[in-house]
Amino acid sequence: GPLVEKNLCWSGVFNLSGGATRYCRINGTPARIDMRLALTLEQGRAVARLYDTGPEHLLLFQDVIPLDGSAGEEWIMDVVNRMTARITGQPGLLGSTIAFVLKQPGYAKVVVATTTHGQRLRLLSHDRDINILPRINKQGMGMVYTVLGNRGSQVYYQNLSPNDPKSIGSFFLTQPGSLNSGGTFSPDGTKVIVTMSVNQNADLFLFDLRNKTHTQVTSREGIETQASWSPDGKQLVFVSDRSGSPQIYLMDMDTREDIRLTFDGVYNADPRWSPDGRSILFTKRVNNIDQVHIMDPYGENVREVTHGRYTSEQAEWSPDGRQIVFAS
């Protein structure tokens, strides 16, 4: 019971009436209940049945959870993932991979991965210098991250599927420099836009991973960084301090023309497109504290997502757009 409830909450799909988990529990009597989940014991196993609450009382989903010890939480996660797919048409994300930077005593910063439950921690980066800013393409086959060493910073592409004949081998995209950093993948995962320092100026460059060639995207005074590619590949959001403070800009990838999206405040950064292209996550400084915000692609309808007296930043969407992960 508790494990099923926890994973229903963590799926990002369900809100529970009468549940024990605070953050996805519906307080009071809801105006409408869409579905009812029944767990019954039948011949030494738990049978989960999800019903529609309409007059026909349709059975939407049914599965079995063994009670003999063979079904741990991973089994329940799989059941909830399949229930999510049955209801929404999109696969559930429980147990999928989150990459982040870890600092351990006596070691440099490394890129590691964990599941949505904080389990099965494993090392992804293999450079002995400081490794930061990991980004994995949506195909899950490659990752870029920034390496900080004695000679400066470099952006590295790492093949996460070395046994796949279609995968691209690992290599450094940039030579050591003062402001090389970041990385955002094209929708098909074969191109990356990074910040590269040329002639003491930091601009955005597009790298073709298969041909190992690059072209310049921006050529303005100031620092252009933290790019995020739109899901359809037609637009780019990025951060520039060309106005005197970090602000977010939108670029048309065909014409290379850009417009400024944020004007309120002296610090707006970390833009990330939602998977459906309708929203942009970003960090905004409010009363000297960074908080995660969301806006539409026109810079309008801004609302604050995180609150409180602690800094929250570097937000990223889950692949289905239902949840975010961020540092605080």
Side-chain angles (χ1 to χ4, degrees):
L3 284 179
V4 173
E5 181 177 308
K6 182 184 78 170
N7 284 281
L8 286 171
C9 285
W10 286 12
S11 71
V13 176
F14 303 98
N15 290 318
L16 307 183
S17 176
T21 304
R22 178 181 57 82
Y23 77 86
C24 74
R25 181 179 63 220
I26 301 173
N27 294 320
T29 302
R32 186 187 73 197
I33 295 178
D34 298 308
M35 296 169 286
R36 293 186 185 276
L37 178 65
L39 291 173
T40 59
L41 295 178
E42 301 177 12
Q43 301 178 346
R45 59 185 187 175
V47 180
R49 294 184 176 94
L50 188 68
Y51 294 95
D52 178 74
T53 57
E56 297 181 354
H57 198 56
L58 296 175
L59 178 63
L60 303 175
F61 178 84
Q62 177 176 311
D63 214 321
V64 174
I65 304 173
L67 299 178
D68 59 3
S70 62
E73 186 165 12
E74 288 191 10
W75 187 296
I76 296 174
M77 289 161 55
D78 183 59
V79 169
V80 174
N81 279 340
R82 284 186 279 115
M83 186 185 302
T84 296
R86 178 69 180 86
I87 298 303
T88 68
Q90 294 181 328
L93 297 175
L94 295 177
S96 57
T97 299
I98 300 172
F100 66 100
V101 175
L102 177 67
K103 175 68 172 73
Q104 292 181 310
Y107 294 88
K109 292 182 178 179
V110 293
V111 177
V112 297
T114 186
T115 68
T116 52
H117 288 48
Q119 299 170 343
R120 297 197 298 274
L121 189 72
R122 67 186 190 276
L123 181 67
L124 290 183
S125 64
H126 301 288
D127 193 282
R128 295 187 178 183
D129 289 320
I130 297 173
N131 304 301
I132 59 173
L133 303 176
R135 295 291 182 216
I136 298 177
N137 62 20
K138 70 177 184 178
Q139 293 79 13
M141 297 182 66
M143 175 179 70
V144 289
Y145 60 91
T146 302
V147 179
L148 304 179
N150 294 331
R151 297 191 300 159
S153 60
Q154 294 176 270
V155 179
Y156 186 70
Y157 171 81
Q158 182 167 319
N159 180 7
L160 298 180
S161 303
N163 296 325
D164 190 325
K166 296 181 180 179
S167 64
I168 302 170
S170 304
F171 68 102
F172 277 103
L173 275 71
T174 66
Q175 298 297 316
S178 58
L179 293 170
N180 300 331
S181 66
T184 179
F185 282 97
S186 60
D188 65 2
T190 65
K191 299 179 179 63
V192 180
I193 290 179
V194 306
T195 295
M196 188 164 67
S197 179
V198 177
N199 297 325
Q200 305 301 314
N201 194 58
D203 284 299
L204 298 177
F205 285 76
L206 188 155
F207 283 79
D208 188 308
L209 298 176
R210 295 198 181 279
N211 298 330
K212 293 184 172 55
T213 58
H214 66 270
T215 56
Q216 192 165 350
V217 176
T218 63
S219 57
R220 298 287 295 269
E221 291 293 329
I223 298 174
E224 271 74 50
T225 186
Q226 295 182 352
S228 177
W229 218 315
S230 64
D232 61 7
K234 295 179 179 180
Q235 295 174 306
L236 193 77
V237 286
F238 62 95
V239 175
S240 175
D241 66 353
R242 65 182 68 165
S243 67
S245 64
Q247 300 294 337
I248 297 172
Y249 292 76
L250 174 72
M251 172 179 286
D252 184 294
M253 289 300 291
D254 289 330
T255 65
R256 302 294 168 89
E257 295 179 355
D258 58 53
I259 60 172
R260 181 173 167 179
L261 291 184
T262 58
F263 293 88
D264 184 25
V266 298
Y267 182 84
N268 293 279
D270 301 330
R272 306 302 298 176
W273 282 98
S274 64
D276 62 7
R278 296 179 179 179
S279 302
I280 298 171
L281 279 173
F282 68 105
T283 300
K284 178 181 178 181
R285 188 158 295 164
V286 180
N287 297 325
N288 294 319
I289 298 176
D290 293 349
Q291 299 289 359
V292 177
H293 288 66
I294 189 172
M295 63 180 171
D296 64 30
Y298 308 101
E300 304 292 338
N301 301 311
V302 177
R303 62 183 175 91
E304 194 171 343
V305 177
T306 60
H307 311 275
R309 59 192 179 94
Y310 299 104
T311 290
S312 298
E313 58 186 353
Q314 298 178 2
E316 180 60 278
W317 298 90
S318 62
D320 61 4
R322 295 189 183 108
Q323 297 170 304
I324 65 170
V325 61
F326 62 96
S328 183

